[in-house]
Amino acid sequence: MTTQHADQQAATGAASKGQVGSDPANATHPVPMVAFERAGKRYGPTGEGGFTAVDSVDLIVGRGAITGIIGRSGAGKSTLIRMVNGLETVTSGKVLVDGVDVGGLGEAALRSLRRQIGMIFQHFNLLSSRTAFDNVALPLEIAGVEKKAIRDKVGPLLDLVGLGDKAGSYPSELSGGQKQRIGIARALATDPKLLLSDEATSALDPETTQSILELLKRINAELGLTILLITHEMDVVKTIASHVAVIDAGRIVESGRTFDVYTNPRHETTRTLLASALKLPQWLRPVVKPQPSAGDKVLVRLVFFGDTAFRPLTGRLVAELGSDVNILAGAIEEISGEPFGSLVVSYSAEPDVVARADRFYTETGLVTEVLGYVA
Ligand SMILES: Nc1ncnc2c1ncn2[C@@H]1O[C@H](COP(=O)(O)OP(=O)(O)OP(=O)(O)O)[C@@H](O)[C@H]1O
Ligand SMILES: [Mg+2]
């Protein structure tokens, strides 16, 4: 992205901030689509021997928004999202979908609710014996929709996901990205008001991931569909989610607007996930060492939030460390449409230089990460 582009983004971002109406989750649609109210899930026996996978979660998923839930493996993400459509029972508290308590529904009512909630999966879960068309048609067949109506529905859905020409292909004849597009078309077949995504891009390469995220973004915008997605990748959240919640050991440790959580991460888990999302430039990777040898330089990534902070702070750092500092890479990226800058610098690993740098970071509140050492 060019700097000019970033400036424009900054300007529009700044203009929309503070206008309550610009926030889909809070203002335009005050009714939440999903509300977790001290919702919990305990596997196994009650009392001793059981395992609490989701622990007293309070969370609102705004109508019309794309909300991401991020956490490490085993944090409870799949359990949490499956509580929304009743694939997992809620063992304490409540989960409300559009005001309806999922735990209180009988079988027929739960089936009807599930038609209003689409879901997509990491491994697509397509039926290998059915063509793309027939996979998308499946939920409609189950709902008892007649053949002609199914044909009228499935064709446009395949077009929507860009696979109008693959109706007769079997899953084994499709790429991962194409399979996920079929999964998305199938999830949309019953005109749901909510789409759940469980790691839908985790099995895909980065480029295909981007194209699937673009599709989800477009569906959200064009159909006004609320999307709740879980992921272990900050990049996914950063690209499409306006709101994010961070889950750790079954508890939501931090939540809010994606930009706010990224720019001011308060919890250790968030900081760790954030750091792992900030990858090293390609050319630097082979030369970075985990431990310093005598005379090596320390390699540090600085994260500047907001475009305005970028240049003045860079200048001040150079002034602070004098000729000791080298700027090796820099970029302005976006978090759900708003810019932030990141800079990779190296400087002497001598204790006095490191101490001066650390003082500067403390004073300015810069987020920093030691990436390793270079000769
Ligand atoms: N049926 C079950 N019985 C007992 N424990 C379970 C069951 N399902 C999940 N768990 C445990 O609950 C915790 C949360 O699991 P969950 O699948 O929700 O995590 P996750 O965040 O989706 O992980 P991943 O990123 O690896 O998919 C894990 O410790 C897991 O071992
Ligand atoms: Mg999972």
Side-chain angles (χ1 to χ4, degrees), residues 130 133-147 150:
R130 283 181 160 238
F133 184 100
D134 289 338
N135 265 288
V136 178
L138 188 63
L140 298 168
E141 288 171 22
I142 292 170
V145 177
E146 59 174 69
K147 273 213 159 77
I150 290 181

Side-chain angles (χ1 to χ4, degrees), residues 73-74 76-79 122 198-199 230:
S73 181
K77 305 181 296 293
S78 293
T79 304
Q122 178 172 4
D198 187 343
E199 300 274 5
I230 60 172

Side-chain angles (χ1 to χ4, degrees), residues 43-44 51-54 71-80 88 122 198-199 230 232 247:
Y43 288 112
F51 180 80
T52 302
V54 171
R72 299 185 185 105
S73 181
K77 305 181 296 293
S78 293
T79 304
L80 186 70
E88 295 292 354
Q122 178 172 4
D198 187 343
E199 300 274 5
I230 60 172
H232 62 278
I247 187 170

Side-chain angles (χ1 to χ4, degrees), residues 288-301:
V288 179
K289 302 183 282 186
Q291 299 296 332
S293 318
D296 273 0
K297 294 185 162 197
V298 58
L299 193 65
V300 178
R301 180 190 291 278

